[in-house]
Amino acid sequence: MAASSETLRAAPCEAKNLPSYPGPSKMRDCYCTVNLDQEEVFRTKIVEKSLCPFYGEDFYCEIPRSFRHLSFYIFDRDVFRRDSIIGKVAIQKEDLQKYHNRDTWFQLQHVDADSEVQGKVHLELRLSEVITDTGVVCHKLATRIVECQGLPIVNGQCDPYATVTLAGPFRSEAKKTKVKRKTNNPQFDEVFYFEVTRPCSYSKKSHFDFEEEDVDKLEIRVDLWNASNLKFGDEFLGELRIPLKVLRQSSSYEAWYFLQPRDNGSKSLKPDDLGSLRLNVVYTEDHVFSSDYYSPLRDLLLKSADVEPVSASAAHILGEVCREKQEAAVPLVRLFLHYGRVVPFISAIASAEVKRTQDPNTIFRGNSLASKCIDETMKLAGMHYLHVTLKPAIEEICQSHKPCEIDPVKLKDGENLENNMENLRQYVDRVFHAITESGVSCPTVMCDIFFSLREAAAKRFQDDPDVRYTAVSSFIFLRFFAPAILSPNLFQLTPHHTDPQTSRTLTLISKTVQTLGSLSKSKSASFKESYMATFYEFFNEQKYADAVKNFLDLISSSGRRDPKSVEQPIMLKEGFMIKRAQGRKRFGMKNFKKRWFRLTNHEFTYHKSKGDQPLYSIPIENILAVEKLEEESFKMKNMFQVIQPERALYIQANNCVEAKDWIDILTKVSQCNQKRLTVYHPSAYLSGHWLCCRAPSDSAPGCVPWVGPAATQLCGDGAGGLGSCPALTPPPSTEACGSKSVYDGPEQEEYSTFVIDDPQETYKTLKQVIAGVGALEQEHAQYKRDKFKKTKYGSQEHPIGDKSFQNYIRQQSETSTHSI
């Protein structure tokens, strides 16, 4: 059985030509939201006083539920802090691949309440023949509204009901269900009966053989509404229309339908009236099998550090054949980190690269596999270290907002160049000292990697005394600290993109710190701008070079294990959520309250506000399970439970993505606990019993087995896995090996970048890699064939109106035809 994994990276870059505000300033304060259907999962910062706002923000998530549209809304916030929608861009799920990873301008569209729909309906129709008291034969249509799922929440609530109408040229008979309160997954299970009039030419030969023109003119229409207490009336949630001709083959019909927008003749407005939005979207879908499917390829990759030469190893080969080294580095580093093999692997490929380097000044300057793997390791292992080191200084710079422009051409009126230089010097000193005094906090795995880089560089270039420093500084300064200072929002050091003045200040600080860390002999010549060379004169003292060398010596020393850094709690995630009182007080109210939650590698706590003392703490070893909570428990969405020995803590996240993130990280941090539950209750304990199994005791064992997280994604069926690497089929690298080992002639030009030190070993490894990937591809192909056979259009998983499934059916049909 394969698990489906969907990931999304959405970047609302900028908007332009937004309509002017109907006031004296004409400017707007705008922000952009990212929505799965109508559920907001991300919001950018507010860009003030602009009709062409630049956002430049990235949002990444694993998609926790099915969706039909990825939508982007532009909002305007007025002086009374009221938000109004300017326009939207909605991309259907099946169209996302058209815009994969490329900047695209979209025209903003008007937002019409009748077009904002989501959710699906389960419906049954039955036509039966009835003889009345007078002997007249009539036919009754029974329409059963079973349930709905995934309806939108409007203004914080959803109280849905449905109207069912039998409509024709000369009739329109409507009936209505009961209102279901506080749920967006209502269970109606109501049946409505309609008399269907027969024409005179009705024939007895078939009970349901109506005349063609009559069938085409009758339809059942179902409208979903939200019962609103507002004076504006009930809100439309969506509709579906079913012609009665679906009953021509059988007297009963049952299916799931996606709700559709109401066709009310939308206003003809020019699309460019509202401006446009530039987006970059990357959407991938993978099918991941259980871990045993990947054992041969995983074991082959894990042996890479021990292969001689390392260029003949599976991991190195995959890095060479991938066009983008990053595509190989990300899964490889995660795999090696998980199994504790990342240091020997990186040491091996880095040593091989150093041996091939001719000039010590160019060491680790290219985008090689070794460089990308070290970058990815620093990103994963060093994020907390980065936050502890830089966040206080970055926050101070953003809050104090001192002018630091030192380019005479860019000085604003009233600014003084000497004062700006002094402000910038103080900021650089603050950041520089924060970095150079942080050596004891550097993660051990990074120190071990830096030690191997230093030793390999010193051994290769014995005549250059500084190469042992530059080999390390090219990563820790150039690729770790400098980018974080330059774009702090990308490293979660700031919640949003900084304003233009602060961004310029951080750019100047980043340039200076990067040059200080490089230990270059002619530092002033490192700058193209004369004003930067002048400013750098402040830092020509020997104490700065000594501080850098001491810092580099400390983080690249062998066997350094600082007990304080090991014992120090690492903050993993924090944010506001809503929790239900646990009933720890005998007479306390079990109400819901907004609290600040904080997770470290030691404990899970909540606080009244950020920075306050914790109100309650759960040690990580006391977390027995973390699972979703069924919505029916409290009629609330996006809830999950943290199960402890005495009780469960019920928490509501802000949206489905946040809920999944918290569940995933809490599960990972507690998955090694010895007392983890094997069964749990998916619903809450209320009114003296568990809602799921009705067991009366609050200590009753769970009624549903716990299912662990999906297998580590080593090789997927999409753009995100190693199995999708296009360079493996056909295998040009095997041909390169063959040509080199057989003919011993010059390498063909198309393979000139592929490193082959031992053709026979490389060829042998390639055959194993291709065999492993080929077996996985066969499993994926079989999975698709089985899924194609079992899937029914109109089922709960693929309701009628699912365009992505229709595309899938068409692709599978074409594949089957080609196979035949």
Side-chain angles (χ1 to χ4, degrees), residues 165-422:
T165 306
L166 179 63
F170 307 107
R171 63 183 297 179
S172 180
E173 184 180 353
K175 299 184 180 183
K176 174 183 169 183
T177 68
K178 295 177 182 177
V179 176
K180 298 294 181 179
R181 299 289 177 184
K182 296 183 179 180
T183 178
N184 68 335
N185 297 316
Q187 299 280 334
F188 291 113
D189 200 15
E190 296 188 41
V191 183
F192 303 101
Y193 294 94
F194 300 92
E195 287 191 5
V196 179
T197 305
R198 289 293 186 182
C200 297
S201 59
Y202 169 68
S203 168
K204 192 65 180 175
K205 65 180 179 180
S206 171
H207 292 305
F208 311 109
D209 183 22
F210 350 9
E211 288 188 356
E212 186 70 28
E213 62 271 19
D214 192 56
V215 174
D216 291 340
K217 294 175 183 177
L218 283 176
E219 68 176 10
I220 282 288
R221 190 178 77 239
V222 179
D223 296 271
L224 268 294
W225 300 85
N226 179 43
S228 173
N229 296 322
L230 302 176
K231 62 182 179 180
F232 305 109
D234 298 345
E235 291 100 349
F236 175 75
L237 301 180
E239 72 169 16
L240 61 95
R241 296 169 180 260
I242 307 172
L244 286 195
K245 62 184 179 182
V246 298
L247 293 167
R248 292 168 67 185
Q249 302 298 323
S250 172
S251 60
S252 62
Y253 176 80
E254 176 266 335
W256 284 83
Y257 280 84
F258 270 136
L259 286 170
Q260 301 296 332
R262 184 158 52 191
D263 183 15
N264 58 354
S266 57
K267 302 174 184 177
S268 57
L269 291 165
K270 294 181 179 179
D272 56 356
D273 286 346
L274 301 177
S276 53
L277 179 65
R278 180 165 65 90
L279 302 172
N280 188 298
V281 177
V282 175
Y283 168 76
T284 59
E285 182 178 4
D286 292 314
H287 299 292
V288 185
F289 296 111
S290 57
S291 59
D292 54 300
Y293 282 83
Y294 304 98
S295 296
L297 186 57
R298 180 191 62 210
D299 295 341
L300 186 63
L301 289 168
L302 289 174
K303 286 191 274 186
S304 296
D306 304 321
V307 174
E308 287 288 345
V310 72
S311 61
S313 68
H316 190 275
I317 289 170
L318 287 172
E320 290 293 319
V321 298
C322 285
R323 290 182 179 177
E324 297 292 335
K325 304 297 183 193
Q326 187 76 5
E327 291 180 1
V330 171
L332 285 174
V333 166
R334 290 171 186 267
L335 177 70
F336 286 115
L337 270 174
H338 180 76
Y339 287 96
R341 299 284 294 160
V342 73
V343 174
F345 171 66
I346 289 180
S347 299
I349 59 174
S351 296
E353 181 174 333
V354 170
K355 290 177 182 177
R356 291 192 297 268
T357 304
Q358 301 302 318
D359 184 355
N361 294 318
T362 62
I363 193 167
F364 297 123
R365 290 300 172 94
N367 287 322
S368 63
L369 178 64
S371 298
K372 289 298 182 182
C373 284
I374 297 172
D375 288 349
E376 187 64 22
T377 304
M378 292 192 299
K379 189 185 301 181
L380 292 174
M383 192 57 71
H384 173 70
Y385 168 53
L386 187 73
H387 281 215
V388 170
T389 305
L390 289 184
K391 198 166 188 178
I394 297 296
E395 287 180 345
E396 179 188 327
I397 293 167
C398 293
Q399 290 169 7
S400 58
H401 213 253
K402 294 179 182 178
C404 295
E405 183 55 70
I406 58 174
D407 184 353
V409 178
K410 296 182 179 179
L411 280 180
K412 296 179 182 177
D413 293 339
E415 289 185 353
N416 182 278
L417 183 59
E418 292 183 359
N419 290 341
N420 287 9
M421 278 196 171
E422 178 59 23

Side-chain angles (χ1 to χ4, degrees), residues 543-592:
K543 65 177 183 180
Y544 289 101
D546 292 342
V548 170
K549 288 184 177 181
N550 290 336
F551 169 68
L552 295 175
D553 281 333
L554 183 58
I555 65 171
S556 60
S557 58
S558 174
R560 185 189 63 80
R561 297 292 186 275
D562 181 62
K564 293 182 180 178
S565 67
V566 175
E567 295 174 4
Q568 182 183 9
I570 299 174
M571 200 279 292
L572 302 174
K573 188 173 177 63
E574 59 183 349
F576 276 112
M577 292 190 289
I578 295 172
K579 66 96 185 175
R580 182 178 185 262
Q582 302 177 75
R584 290 179 289 121
K585 297 178 181 178
R586 186 171 181 182
F587 301 105
M589 291 282 291
K590 291 189 177 180
N591 53 1
F592 290 87

Side-chain angles (χ1 to χ4, degrees), residues 6 35-39 63 65-71 90-96 115-121 149-152 237-240 257-261 283 797 799-805:
E6 297 174 87
N35 296 51
L36 294 177
D37 294 322
Q38 293 184 57
E39 182 180 9
I63 300 175
R65 63 170 180 84
S66 60
F67 70 101
R68 294 164 65 188
H69 294 87
L70 177 65
S71 301
I91 308 174
Q92 293 183 345
K93 181 180 179 179
E94 55 271 18
D95 292 335
L96 287 172
S115 68
E116 297 289 284
V117 301
Q118 71 176 57
K120 53 190 176 184
V121 182
Q149 289 186 357
L151 298 179
L237 301 180
E239 72 169 16
L240 61 95
Y257 280 84
F258 270 136
L259 286 170
Q260 301 296 332
Y283 168 76
E797 294 77 18
I800 293 174
D802 185 353
K803 293 183 179 178
S804 61
F805 179 69

Side-chain angles (χ1 to χ4, degrees), residues 695-723:
S697 172
D698 61 353
S699 59
C703 56
V704 173
W706 177 77
V707 179
T712 302
Q713 192 182 96
L714 170 65
C715 192
D717 178 38
L722 288 175

Side-chain angles (χ1 to χ4, degrees), residues 34-53:
V34 181
N35 296 51
L36 294 177
D37 294 322
Q38 293 184 57
E39 182 180 9
E40 179 184 321
V41 294
F42 177 72
R43 179 180 296 196
T44 70
K45 66 170 183 177
I46 297 176
V47 178
E48 298 180 345
K49 299 178 181 178
S50 175
L51 298 180
C52 296

